[in-house]
């Protein structure tokens, strides 16, 4: 419930703060649909004509919502919640799916395994965590390997801190398959290269990168992963 409330608040804030005309079009379509449904209840117009008009509006709304989800991926999280069980059943049992949601005050990390939501982790102080990730990405990704080579221990500890913040307490085993579904700034992280242990070693070849233990890949969403898997199997 807390996660859903945060999702809805985040979506409302996005709608209000973004001057995207798609949101205005969406509101107008929803108002028109509501008006037509009211007309149907009152019987003031011929029902067949109203239903036809409403069907056209609903089709336009569905197309518009798809455009919004493509532009703002976090809007997809709260869609079709009632079909979640059906979606989970389509997932393989031996793959860990880790999905992130970035709220204003909290970050949420959901682990899906064996066709069920196994664990949801709530991370407080979301703004600071997102800043730490952004600083890490800007320092060590955008300036090549030099920053890491010049201060390897600082990189090691920063990387391990991010790993602990996002993935600590999840129970992974060696050679497990892990699908990362990021959100916002987390999408810039390379999880493969995160350090999983806090015991620093000067020999870089001995560093405990996540990729050494797990097979890591990425997806835009669970539905996208399912669709791509179906295409690969045909």
């Amino acid at each position: 419930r807390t996660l859903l409330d945060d999702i809805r608040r985040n979506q409302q804030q996005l709608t209000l703060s973004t001057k995207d005309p798609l949101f205005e079009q969406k509101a107008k379509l929803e108002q028109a649909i509501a008006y037509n449904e009211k007309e149907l209840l009152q019987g003031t117009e011929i029902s067949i004509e109203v239903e036809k008009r409403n069907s056209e509006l609903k089709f336009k709304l569905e197309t518009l919502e798809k455009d919004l989800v493509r532009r703002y991926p976090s809007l997809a999280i709260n869609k079709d919640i009632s079909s979640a069980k059906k979606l989970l059943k389509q997932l393989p049992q031996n793959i860990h799916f880790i999905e992130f949601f970035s709220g204003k005050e909290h970050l949420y990390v959901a682990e899906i395994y064996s066709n069920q939501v196994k664990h949801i982790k709530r991370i407080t102080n979301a703004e600071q965590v997102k800043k730490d990730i952004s600083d890490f990405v800007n320092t060590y990704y955008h300036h090549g390997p030099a920053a890491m080579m010049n201060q390897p221990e600082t990189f090691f500890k920063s990387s391990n801190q991010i790993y602990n913040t996002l993935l600590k307490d999840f129970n992974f085993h060696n050679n497990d398959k892990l699908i990362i579904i990021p959100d916002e700034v987390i999408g810039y992280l390379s999880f493969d290269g995160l350090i999983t242990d806090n015991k620093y070693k000067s020999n870089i070849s001995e560093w405990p990168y996540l990729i050494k233990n797990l097979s890591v890949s990425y997806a835009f969403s669970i539905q996208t992963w399912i669709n791509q898997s179906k295409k690969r199997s045909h």
Side-chain angles (χ1 to χ4, degrees):
R1 173 57 58 187
T2 304
L3 172 58
L4 290 177
D5 287 344
D6 259 22
I7 289 171
R8 291 180 181 120
R9 280 197 298 269
N10 204 51
Q11 292 176 351
Q12 288 170 358
Q13 183 183 15
L14 177 64
T15 302
L16 292 172
S17 62
T18 306
K19 297 180 180 179
D20 193 322
L22 290 181
F23 287 114
E24 185 178 350
Q25 293 175 34
K26 180 175 181 289
K28 288 181 178 179
L29 285 171
E30 289 172 338
Q31 289 172 2
I33 291 170
Y35 175 81
N36 285 336
E37 289 176 348
K38 180 182 177 182
E39 292 294 301
L40 281 171
L41 288 173
Q42 293 178 345
T44 53
E45 287 192 53
I46 300 173
S47 61
I48 295 177
E49 294 181 359
V50 179
E51 287 174 357
K52 181 181 177 182
R53 192 163 65 234
N54 233 18
S55 296
E56 292 173 353
L57 289 170
K58 287 179 179 179
F59 177 79
K60 290 180 181 179
L61 179 61
E62 184 178 348
T63 303
L64 183 62
E65 286 179 336
K66 287 179 180 178
D67 291 337
L68 281 168
V69 166
R70 279 194 290 268
R71 193 170 296 183
Y72 308 102
S74 62
L75 292 175
I77 298 176
N78 196 33
K79 239 182 125 51
D80 295 329
I81 293 175
S82 61
S83 64
K85 289 184 178 180
K86 182 179 178 181
L87 194 67
L88 292 177
K89 287 180 179 179
Q90 299 180 57
L91 298 175
Q93 293 191 4
N94 60 341
I95 297 180
H96 294 269
F97 290 81
I98 299 294
E99 183 162 7
F100 293 89
F101 169 72
S102 299
K104 183 173 178 59
E105 297 180 359
H106 303 99
L107 296 175
Y108 294 91
V109 191
E111 179 190 12
I112 300 166
Y113 186 72
S114 190
N115 303 116
Q116 61 182 323
V117 179
K118 188 176 180 182
H119 178 59
I120 294 180
K121 177 179 180 178
R122 186 176 74 170
I123 303 170
T124 59
N125 200 7
E127 291 302 319
Q128 183 60 51
V129 172
K130 286 188 277 189
K131 182 180 183 303
D132 291 342
I133 292 172
S134 180
D135 290 345
F136 180 83
V137 169
N138 288 331
T139 301
Y140 298 108
Y141 292 5
H142 295 169
H143 298 93
M148 184 189 76
M149 300 300 292
N150 292 336
Q151 294 182 310
E153 188 170 0
T154 302
F155 166 83
F156 186 99
K157 291 180 178 179
S158 297
S159 179
N160 178 245
Q161 180 182 352
I162 290 173
Y163 172 82
N164 287 338
T165 299
L166 299 181
L167 294 180
K168 187 179 179 180
D169 303 325
F170 290 104
N171 188 23
F172 303 128
H173 299 95
N174 283 346
N175 301 318
D176 275 355
K177 293 181 179 180
L178 178 65
I179 309 294
I180 299 291
I181 303 172
D183 190 28
E184 290 190 9
V185 70
I186 297 171
Y188 293 104
L189 270 179
S190 172
F191 282 80
D192 313 49
L194 291 182
I195 301 295
T196 62
D197 193 292
N198 62 1
K199 296 177 182 177
Y200 175 73
K201 295 180 180 180
S202 58
N203 188 347
I204 294 178
S205 65
E206 296 180 7
W207 283 6
Y209 292 111
L210 182 64
I211 193 64
K212 288 185 175 182
N213 298 324
L214 304 175
S215 172
V216 182
S217 56
Y218 304 84
F220 172 77
S221 68
I222 288 177
Q223 186 64 66
T224 300
W225 187 89
I226 290 173
N227 293 343
Q228 290 174 343
S229 298
K230 288 179 179 178
K231 289 180 181 179
R232 288 194 295 266
S233 63
H234 286 86

